[in-house]
Amino acid sequence: KDNACPKPDEKKLLAEEKAKQPNIPMAMPEQYMWVIGNLPAYQQRVDCWYFIRTYQEKHLDYHRALTDFMEVIDCLRDSEMLTALLGIILATGNYLNGGTNRGQADGFDLETLGKLESVKDVVGKDIRSFMFEIFFFKLYDKAAQLVEELEPMLRNVTRRLSKDSDGTEKLNKQTRVAFEDFDICVRLLSEEFEKMNETMTMILQYFEDPADQFKLRMPGEFERAKSNINGLVALKDRVKASYGELLGWFKISGMKSADFCVIWDNFFIPPDLIINKDVAMKQNYLVPTFCQGKPPSVEDLMVLWDFKQPDEIKKTEKKRRKRDPEARKRRQERREKDNPDTTAPKAEGGDLDGGKAAGKEPPSATDSRPPPDKELPGKGKPGKGTSKGKAVDAVDQSMEEAPALKAKPMMPNAPGKGKGKAMPSGKGKGKSELVAAAEAAARAVKEAAMPS
């Protein structure tokens, strides 16, 4: 758009040359510059058309990214088996700290997941290996379901094995969608629209020709753009509120979404477990499984944690867990409401109807995952109760001297423990369910710790 219109000095020079030699015909480039340069507000016209013809690609990219990140939020918020794993972590810490003032904790900070690697046994395995051994073997069905539930989050982190300038191998992790980045992008797109809409409104007063195509079409184009961009801003606000609510469930005052996702990914897929494997194992199994954008299965994680060998895994088709068809129907209704198809306009400038293209091209599959904007009736969301409070906060300790688990009440007004931080209304599990999960995890930990 910067080179489509003649600059003021170019237009002035062209007019002077035409006045000097009025009988000499212009070449095609000069003719183009002369016609375009004599249109009223020609540069502003081009700017407005350029915005209308390019904003929709940004709109689709941003909408896709936000809906993908909303899936990351939902997979944690709606997970049925996350409490089972967190219960094992909590029960393990309480068991190791039994008989001390560090035990009997009701929860732990999320950052603790990144500190567990410092607690090792005599052969060098960290405490996560012990926890996952219990989870994968004693609670295999729950583990398989959890890995499937957390697929959006594990898919949101890309992993790449590379070498630095010294030849040292390292595993680089990067979040595919970081909410803060797209929060800025949506805000900039909204500001650009406001600026161009003001320009369009201002230059319309200079057009006297009632048949001017800009005057006839541009107001309608900007109305549709306004509807689409306002919908995108509303989606961004919902995602931001949902992410803040998720952090509140984990009792986190503030954390960047990239750090949040990497904490979980490092817990399930530690970089050193890939880097320290032999070359053949990395090339033939680990890199194709964990570094090529495919979500891992529970069997893949068992190979990563040295509980199985690759040839022990049966090459069977992955069976997805059946979900409530009514819930799927409700999500589809919200999808149709929240995600209007704003495919690119036709080359001849066909009108867009309410944000939907006149063409027949279907939306891509990734565009069909909008964030739910309300709770499903009759199904309260499981609170992340086992991750509240303080725990494992020491570094470089042995498993015999486990990090402290500070006793902090998980539920508000727990009997005999004073007041704790209240869970969001209607979102947490009942105390009896949390207690049952913690007791079951404690039993599994004790059984695993018993000498054979």
Side-chain angles (χ1 to χ4, degrees), residues 194-213:
E194 294 296 337
K195 178 182 177 181
M196 297 313 303
N197 187 48
E198 183 179 347
T199 299
M200 184 271 300
T201 304
M202 183 266 295
I203 64 176
L204 283 178
Q205 60 185 318
Y206 300 115
F207 302 153
E208 298 178 356
D209 183 4
D212 189 295
Q213 288 298 304

Side-chain angles (χ1 to χ4, degrees), residues 216-269:
L216 292 175
R217 297 181 55 189
M218 197 54 59
E221 296 281 2
F222 268 82
E223 280 298 318
R224 284 183 280 274
K226 180 179 180 180
S227 175
N228 292 333
I229 292 176
N230 285 346
L232 184 65
V233 172
L235 171 61
K236 182 262 296 182
D237 292 339
R238 287 198 301 272
V239 174
K240 184 176 183 178
S242 297
Y243 180 59
E245 188 179 61
L246 181 66
L247 293 182
W249 288 343
F250 285 102
K251 304 302 180 188
I252 301 173
S253 58
M255 179 181 290
K256 291 185 177 180
S257 58
D259 297 336
F260 181 83
C261 292
V262 170
I263 282 177
W264 286 104
D265 197 82
N266 284 339
F267 177 66
F268 286 99
I269 308 173

Side-chain angles (χ1 to χ4, degrees), residues 174-330:
Q174 185 175 6
T175 52
R176 189 173 60 86
V177 177
F179 170 73
E180 293 79 10
D181 294 341
F182 288 93
D183 184 17
I184 295 173
C185 290
V186 172
R187 178 164 48 83
L188 292 177
L189 180 61
S190 180
E191 292 174 355
E192 184 181 4
F193 166 79
E194 294 296 337
K195 178 182 177 181
M196 297 313 303
N197 187 48
E198 183 179 347
T199 299
M200 184 271 300
T201 304
M202 183 266 295
I203 64 176
L204 283 178
Q205 60 185 318
Y206 300 115
F207 302 153
E208 298 178 356
D209 183 4
D212 189 295
Q213 288 298 304
F214 186 95
K215 186 175 184 178
L216 292 175
R217 297 181 55 189
M218 197 54 59
E221 296 281 2
F222 268 82
E223 280 298 318
R224 284 183 280 274
K226 180 179 180 180
S227 175
N228 292 333
I229 292 176
N230 285 346
L232 184 65
V233 172
L235 171 61
K236 182 262 296 182
D237 292 339
R238 287 198 301 272
V239 174
K240 184 176 183 178
S242 297
Y243 180 59
E245 188 179 61
L246 181 66
L247 293 182
W249 288 343
F250 285 102
K251 304 302 180 188
I252 301 173
S253 58
M255 179 181 290
K256 291 185 177 180
S257 58
D259 297 336
F260 181 83
C261 292
V262 170
I263 282 177
W264 286 104
D265 197 82
N266 284 339
F267 177 66
F268 286 99
I269 308 173
D272 61 292
L273 288 187
I274 295 179
I275 295 172
N276 295 334
K277 293 293 193 300
D278 61 76
V279 176
M281 181 68 159
K282 284 186 284 192
Q283 292 181 348
N284 298 332
Y285 189 85
L286 295 181
V287 170
T289 301
F290 295 99
C291 302
Q292 294 184 358
K294 299 183 295 184
S297 67
V298 67
E299 299 285 343
D300 296 328
L301 291 178
M302 293 179 77
V303 172
L304 178 67
W305 286 92
D306 294 326
F307 299 133
K308 281 189 175 183
Q309 293 299 316
D311 54 8
E312 297 181 59
I313 298 179
K314 297 180 180 179
K315 302 297 183 181
T316 57
E317 183 179 355
K318 183 179 179 180
K319 296 182 179 180
R320 297 188 65 85
R321 184 168 50 91
K322 293 183 178 180
R323 298 180 180 178
D324 181 10
E326 291 300 322
R328 199 156 46 234
K329 181 180 178 181
R330 288 189 290 268

Side-chain angles (χ1 to χ4, degrees), residues 408-447:
K408 295 184 72 174
M410 181 188 312
M411 303 297 294
N413 299 324
K417 294 187 178 181
K419 289 187 176 181
K421 296 181 179 179
M423 299 289 289
S425 176
K427 303 286 173 64
K429 281 192 173 183
K431 182 173 177 62
S432 59
E433 294 180 71
L434 295 172
V435 171
E439 290 177 348
R443 287 194 295 270
V445 170
K446 290 181 180 179
E447 291 174 3

